[in-house]
């Protein structure tokens, strides 16, 4: 898979939170200025999309989460991870194949909030939930939460710290049963979350969304070459089915470079639609990667 | 007499712990494949009775081995003769074990009163059951412990009753821990129990509630599941009942109620986390509550507590149709989440189950509402996904405190709107 790179439009000077009409304009401009259309299709502005006046209540949040997972993955920066704060506005279109196109604006917080400091970013995104494609197609731009130089410096500090970590093979269950993460292991959790973001981006649909519940084991932690080579297993919690999905993830990270991810998750036993009756299916592993 | 002697010897053998005095744990570094092979040879020397905690695998991976005292000399000679580097990780295994025992005993020593009980940590089933007995003993006029049934695996199912008298007064029901992995809920339940006992007679608004109504609090609604989250799988959600014809265990107790049972919103697959069970009320944990509610006949508010997502929900989950009391329930929910947010700013959303979270059939509050219990609510406590079920223990008390304000709102409304 080729990584799509999209130039971020420069933040507007002055008011970081333009009023709604201005925001709509910004969204329009951002979308027009965005790079190549989602893989495999042209912009389907007029191919059977009709506006869904009452989108399913969760749809906007699902779209926001998918967009954020993609954003975090693309940023490849464990010190600048974001989580969803609030969806502010959104519109959805549906086509005959029951696929969704969602435009939305939402606010974000830092995944690792600093005491006393409120960092609230704003993002606008367009998300396509397609039936056959392996992952939702995303265009997203966000206001900057941290100075680029600060972020790069923090990533580099993390990298230096990680390079001298040893004996991680006995790490099991982060957080532990009581929700505790040893501060010395927090960077491992963050890197694991970054890798999981790629997986969660790929797996999020209009019906399914995920959280990283636990880092269950470290299979390998190599730092002898330049990059951090991290092989681990996580439990992903899928919300609508309440299932815990074990995934084996392998990431290669170097500050400033795009994250490389390979993964293999146990498939969900139930089909995607809101569960009614389902057949018990064999567990089929899916192996996907970007390197 | 002789029988007793034999029994005690057998017991001694069974319970008798091995002695590790003088045992050492060595960490061996094998620099290359040849050295790994040498350690494998060592492994084969059975008479040494070596216990490899981390066996020889590939060069570079540490090899940890517990060496019984009589073999220490021989092992060190073996390693040194072959140039295998090692360090002594544990000088004396037994003294380490003795220290550990001491520590464990110190930190988990039983609280002798509910005033010394640690509310800011997660507890085992036994500790919570002990807590209930302590509370009932400290407040015999207010608190009593009822057993409403036994779990699938035979554990007692307890409900605490808080009452200042009367005869079958209108009552409020609160349950926590129906899904065993949602640990902040049982922990909050323990805190609520203490809060109730503390505030009665102290807080005028709450005293008025308890002077007119009873409160029933079931803290560990799924004891088998809860025990399992401690012993084997922290992420266990369902009951632990066996399903004939399947190797998968457990039924989702929040899909097993007789409200839209079997409809879309639950699974027929026993391996699924939302498996509904073979029929409604198949789970004794659910049936016990059903029987209690029907027998009591005067419950006016029913609140079932889950985590996570930060939501306050009212019926229905199994159908889109609004409950007749939708407007009132929505208003109450709105006030309750405002009260909750007033403490730490924690934001909750609210609405019906089906429009706010997902379609779910066979759910608790759909059944209780259909039974005529108007004020039927489900909470989803902290957080919104950062930690999920593994909420840090430091958040237990803040979560319980803010949730309590929402509960008070609902209880007050129930008191002031008799029906």
């Amino acid at each position: 898979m080729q990584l799509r790179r999209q130039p971020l439009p420069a933040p507007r000077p002055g008011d970081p939170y333009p009023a709604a009409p201005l925001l709509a304009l910004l969204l329009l401009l951002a979308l027009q200025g965005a790079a190549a259309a989602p893989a495999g299709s042209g912009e389907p502005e007029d191919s059977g999309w009709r506006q869904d006046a009452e989108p399913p209540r969760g749809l906007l949040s699902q779209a926001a989460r998918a967009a954020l997972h993609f954003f975090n993955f693309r940023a490849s920066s464990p010190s600048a991870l974001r989580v969803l704060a609030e969806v502010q506005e959104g519109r959805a279109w549906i086509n005959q194949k029951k696929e969704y196109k969602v435009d939305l604006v939402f606010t974000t917080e830092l995944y690792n909030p600093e005491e006393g400091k409120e960092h609230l970013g704003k993002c606008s995104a367009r998300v396509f939930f397609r039936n056959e494609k392996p992952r939702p197609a995303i265009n997203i731009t966000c206001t900057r939460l941290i100075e680029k130089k600060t972020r790069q410096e923090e990533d580099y500090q993390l990298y230096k710290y990680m390079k001298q970590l040893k004996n991680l093979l006995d790490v099991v269950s982060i957080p532990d049963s009581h929700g505790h993460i040893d501060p010395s292991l927090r960077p491992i959790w963050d890197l694991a979350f970054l890798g999981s973001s790629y997986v969660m981006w790929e797996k999020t649909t209009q019906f399914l969304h995920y959280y990283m519940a636990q880092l269950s084991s470290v299979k390998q932690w190599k730092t002898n070459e330049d990059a951090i080579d991290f092989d681990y297993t996580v439990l992903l919690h899928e919300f609508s089915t309440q299932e815990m999905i074990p995934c084996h993830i392998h990431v290669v990270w170097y500050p400033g470079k795009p994250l490389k991810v390979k993964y293999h998750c146990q498939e969900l036993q139930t089909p995607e639609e809101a569960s009614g009756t389902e057949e018990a299916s064999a567990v089929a592993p899916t192996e996907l990667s970007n390197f | 007499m002789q029988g007793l002697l034999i029994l005690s010897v057998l017991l001694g053998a069974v319970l008798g712990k091995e002695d590790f005095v003088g045992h050492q744990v060595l960490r061996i570094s094998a620099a290359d494949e040849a050295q790994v092979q040498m350690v494998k040879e060592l492994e084969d020397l059975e008479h040494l009775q070596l216990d490899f905690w981390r066996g020889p695998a590939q060069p570079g991976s540490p090899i940890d081995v517990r060496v019984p005292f009589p073999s220490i000399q021989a092992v060190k000679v073996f390693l040194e003769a072959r140039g295998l580097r090692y360090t002594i990780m544990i000088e004396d295994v037994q003294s380490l074990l003795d220290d550990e025992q001491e520590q464990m005993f110190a930190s988990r020593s039983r609280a002798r009163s509910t005033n010394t009980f640690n509310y800011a940590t997660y507890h085992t089933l036994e500790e919570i059951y002990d807590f209930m007995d302590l509370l009932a003993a400290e407040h015999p006029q207010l608190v009593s412990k009822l057993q409403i049934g036994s779990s699938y695996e035979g554990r007692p199912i307890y409900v605490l009753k808080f009452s200042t008298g009367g005869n079958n007064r209108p009552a409020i029901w609160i349950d926590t821990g129906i899904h065993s992995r949602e640990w902040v809920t049982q922990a909050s339940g323990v805190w609520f129990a203490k809060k109730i006992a503390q505030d009665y007679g102290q807080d005028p608004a709450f005293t008025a509630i308890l002077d007119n109504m009873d409160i029933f609090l079931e803290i560990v609604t799924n004891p088998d599941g809860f025990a399992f989250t401690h012993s084997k799988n922290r992420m266990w959600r369902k009951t632990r009942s066996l399903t004939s014809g399947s190797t998968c265990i457990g039924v989702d107790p929040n899909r097993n109620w007789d409200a839209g049972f079997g409809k879309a919103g639950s699974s027929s697959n026993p391996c699924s986390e939302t498996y509904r069970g073979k029929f409604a009320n198949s789970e004794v944990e659910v049936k016990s509550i059903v029987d209690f509610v029907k027998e009591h006949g005067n419950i006016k508010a029913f609140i079932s507590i889950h985590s996570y997502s930060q939501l306050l929900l009212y019926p229905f989950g199994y159908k889109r149709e609004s409950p007749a009391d939708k407007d009132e329930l929505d208003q109450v929910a709105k006030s309750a989440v405002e009260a909750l947010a007033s403490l730490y700013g924690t934001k909750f959303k609210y609405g019906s189950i089906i429009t706010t979270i997902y379609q779910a059939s066979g759910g608790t509050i759909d059944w209780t509402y259909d039974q005529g219990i108007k004020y039927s609510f489900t909470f989803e406590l902290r957080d919104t996904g950062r930690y999920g079920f593994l909420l840090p223990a430091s958040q237990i008390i803040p979560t319980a405190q803010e949730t309590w304000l929402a509960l008070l709102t609902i209880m007050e409304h129930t008191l002031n709107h008799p029906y």
Side-chain angles (χ1 to χ4, degrees):
Chain A
M1 170 216 146
Q2 271 174 310
L3 271 181
R4 281 173 282 118
R5 288 179 192 259
Q6 285 156 355
L8 298 175
R12 287 155 60 92
D15 180 12
Y17 300 117
L22 291 172
L23 200 55
L25 181 60
L26 179 67
L27 179 62
L28 217 65
L29 288 171
L31 290 169
Q32 282 177 354
S41 73
E43 265 284 349
E45 278 296 356
D46 42 44
S47 56
W49 294 105
R50 56 173 175 80
Q51 185 160 356
D52 188 347
E54 268 197 53
R57 186 128 159 202
L59 182 68
L60 298 183
S61 307
Q62 306 267 113
R65 291 185 193 109
L68 262 185
H69 288 317
F70 170 71
F71 180 84
N72 282 331
F73 160 68
R74 190 181 67 184
S76 295
S77 170
S79 59
L81 297 164
R82 300 193 196 208
V83 289
L84 178 63
E86 196 117 41
V87 174
Q88 297 192 317
E89 44 181 289
R91 277 184 305 167
W93 292 264
I94 187 172
N95 67 12
Q96 272 134 344
K97 293 195 275 178
K98 297 249 178 93
E99 297 174 324
Y100 274 97
K101 174 174 76 169
V102 184
D103 278 351
L104 67 162
V105 177
F106 56 92
T107 52
T108 63
E109 277 169 10
L110 277 182
Y111 185 61
N112 288 316
E114 281 161 40
E115 274 301 325
K117 280 197 193 170
E118 256 250 329
H119 277 125
L120 214 59
K122 200 152 188 163
C123 300
S124 51
R126 171 166 284 188
V127 178
F128 288 91
F129 288 118
R130 302 239 117 158
N131 292 339
E132 283 96 49
K133 305 299 173 185
R135 61 183 79 95
I138 318 246
N139 286 2
I140 178 171
T141 63
C142 297
T143 57
R144 197 164 39 209
L145 267 187
I146 314 174
E147 282 300 315
K148 179 169 180 182
K149 235 181 120 223
T150 313
R151 180 167 64 75
Q152 286 175 330
E153 191 43 51
E154 284 183 25
D155 273 350
Y156 187 68
Q157 290 304 323
L158 271 178
Y159 169 74
K160 277 204 321 196
Y161 174 77
M162 289 184 202
K163 286 277 276 176
Q164 52 82 43
L165 279 176
K166 304 220 182 312
N167 293 332
L168 287 185
L169 291 177
D170 19 359
V171 161
V172 288
S173 301
I174 298 179
D176 65 17
S177 286
H178 293 225
H180 177 69
I181 302 179
D182 194 291
S184 68
L185 296 176
R186 181 83 212 191
I188 316 303
W189 170 264
D190 289 342
L191 190 58
F193 183 77
L194 181 57
S196 301
S197 297
Y198 178 80
V199 181
M200 294 192 284
W201 164 43
E202 294 221 329
K203 296 172 81 62
T204 300
T205 69
Q206 59 264 49
F207 307 112
L208 304 174
H209 71 277
Y210 299 82
Y211 299 94
M212 185 170 101
Q214 194 174 45
L215 171 59
S216 34
S217 74
V218 173
K219 297 232 175 286
Q220 188 153 264
W221 178 264
K222 286 205 292 212
T223 58
N224 35 11
E225 270 141 49
D226 264 352
I228 310 285
D229 191 306
F230 180 26
D231 196 352
Y232 58 101
T233 60
V234 290
L235 282 177
L236 296 184
H237 177 219
E238 198 293 305
F239 206 80
S240 65
T241 58
Q242 288 292 318
E243 298 290 336
M244 285 290 168
I245 321 283
C247 292
H248 184 174
I249 306 179
H250 182 191
V251 302
V252 176
W253 179 64
Y254 188 83
K257 297 246 171 79
L259 187 75
K260 293 191 182 145
V261 187
K262 242 195 196 136
Y263 74 92
H264 165 155
C265 292
Q266 258 182 272
E267 258 322 300
L268 263 186
Q269 295 199 332
T270 57
E272 288 198 341
E273 289 278 8
S275 41
T277 48
E278 30 278 316
E279 42 301 317
S281 54
V283 166
T286 53
E287 184 150 345
L288 291 155
S289 76
N290 74 337
F291 72 108
Chain B
M1 183 58 209
Q2 201 189 33
L4 204 60
L5 192 63
I6 294 176
L7 183 65
S8 62
V9 167
L10 282 174
L11 271 177
V14 164
L15 299 173
K17 297 202 173 137
E18 259 185 271
D19 193 290
F20 294 102
V21 175
H23 292 212
Q24 289 190 345
V25 176
L26 306 182
R27 174 162 281 182
I28 305 169
S29 340
D32 54 36
E33 195 50 59
Q35 292 208 330
V36 173
Q37 270 309 115
M38 291 178 202
V39 182
K40 286 193 174 158
E41 284 170 39
L42 188 62
E43 218 179 353
D44 286 338
L45 302 174
E46 280 184 34
H47 67 281
L48 292 175
Q49 305 248 317
L50 301 178
D51 172 17
F52 279 84
W53 287 4
R54 223 200 313 233
Q58 60 260 7
S61 287
I63 302 163
D64 297 339
V65 56
R66 178 178 60 79
V67 184
F69 183 67
S71 308
I72 290 186
Q73 182 83 312
V75 169
K76 288 185 179 172
V77 165
F78 181 100
L79 294 175
E80 282 160 29
R82 286 158 184 73
L84 279 160
R85 286 178 40 235
Y86 69 92
T87 53
I88 302 175
M89 273 204 339
I90 303 177
E91 290 265 7
D92 187 316
V93 175
Q94 189 58 44
S95 59
L96 195 70
L97 288 175
D98 292 342
D99 285 347
E100 193 183 34
Q101 279 281 52
E102 241 184 79
Q103 262 185 51
M104 268 176 58
F105 186 75
S107 67
R108 301 205 85 70
S109 60
R110 293 160 84 151
R112 276 184 236 117
S113 89
T114 62
N115 289 325
T116 57
F117 187 88
N118 188 353
Y119 297 92
T121 186
Y122 294 109
H123 289 275
T124 63
L125 185 64
E126 208 196 341
E127 286 163 0
I128 296 179
Y129 278 13
D130 284 345
F131 164 84
M132 290 182 199
D133 289 333
L134 284 174
L135 192 71
E138 289 164 22
H139 302 270
Q141 303 308 316
L142 182 63
V143 187
S144 54
K145 185 179 85 170
L146 313 171
Q147 180 168 353
I148 64 168
S150 290
S151 71
Y152 184 84
E153 289 175 344
R155 295 181 174 85
I157 304 174
Y158 294 128
V159 170
L160 289 177
K161 176 182 180 182
F162 299 86
S163 178
T164 59
N167 182 27
N168 209 36
R169 281 181 177 167
I172 310 215
W173 168 283
I174 303 170
D175 65 73
T176 53
I178 194 170
H179 286 143
S180 38
R181 62 190 178 195
E182 298 165 8
W183 275 19
V184 73
T185 69
Q186 298 96 334
S188 295
V190 169
W191 189 92
F192 297 151
K194 176 63 174 169
K195 181 71 170 162
I196 294 170
Q198 230 165 25
D199 274 12
Y200 178 71
Q202 304 298 321
D203 175 81
F206 182 65
T207 304
I209 293 172
L210 215 42
D211 275 342
N212 293 285
M213 305 181 74
D214 293 341
I215 299 177
F216 293 99
L217 176 61
E218 185 176 359
I219 300 176
V220 189
T221 306
N222 178 4
D224 294 347
F226 190 57
F228 199 70
T229 58
H230 277 278
S231 64
K232 290 269 162 37
N233 181 351
R234 173 63 177 83
M235 297 300 187
W236 191 261
R237 166 186 167 91
K238 304 188 284 183
T239 62
R240 291 291 300 164
S241 60
L242 297 175
T243 299
S244 68
S246 174
T247 51
C248 289
I249 297 180
V251 167
D252 184 344
N254 200 23
R255 299 289 186 283
N256 187 243
W257 300 72
D258 197 0
F261 180 84
K263 298 211 164 102
S266 64
S267 174
S268 59
N269 179 350
C271 301
S272 163
E273 294 282 31
T274 55
Y275 175 52
R276 62 178 75 114
K278 293 218 157 128
F279 51 88
N281 301 328
S282 62
E283 302 311 282
V284 64
E285 293 81 1
V286 169
K287 184 77 166 50
S288 304
I289 303 175
V290 168
D291 290 345
F292 180 85
V293 167
K294 283 183 166 169
E295 231 249 78
H296 187 279
N298 206 17
I299 295 180
K300 296 300 178 188
F302 193 104
I303 303 158
S304 192
I305 303 186
H306 293 250
S307 78
Y308 57 94
S309 277
Q310 293 175 203
L311 304 169
L312 176 47
L313 307 165
Y314 50 79
F316 290 103
Y318 76 91
K319 57 184 177 181
R320 296 225 154 246
E321 174 195 319
S322 291
D325 304 290
K326 189 230 190 230
D327 289 341
E328 187 186 355
L329 293 177
D330 199 76
Q331 260 306 119
V332 173
K334 181 168 189 282
S335 310
V337 310
E338 277 167 7
L340 191 153
S342 71
L343 197 55
Y344 297 110
T346 308
K347 295 200 180 112
F348 268 55
K349 297 203 168 87
Y350 62 96
S352 72
I353 297 170
I354 196 168
T355 59
T356 313
I357 193 171
Y358 41 52
Q359 183 172 25
S361 62
T364 310
I365 65 167
D366 285 359
W367 180 80
T368 58
Y369 184 80
D370 278 344
Q371 290 298 297
I373 302 176
K374 182 166 35 158
Y375 302 116
S376 290
F377 292 97
T378 286
F379 277 83
E380 293 277 355
L381 303 185
R382 292 194 194 181
D383 61 10
T384 54
R386 242 193 205 94
Y387 290 99
F389 301 123
L390 303 181
L391 194 71
S394 54
Q395 292 196 42
I396 295 173
I397 294 182
T399 301
Q401 286 173 327
E402 66 192 10
T403 308
W404 181 247
L405 297 181
L407 291 176
L408 278 177
T409 309
I410 297 171
M411 292 194 282
E412 255 172 49
H413 186 94
T414 308
L415 176 68
N416 297 329
H417 298 81
Y419 62 94

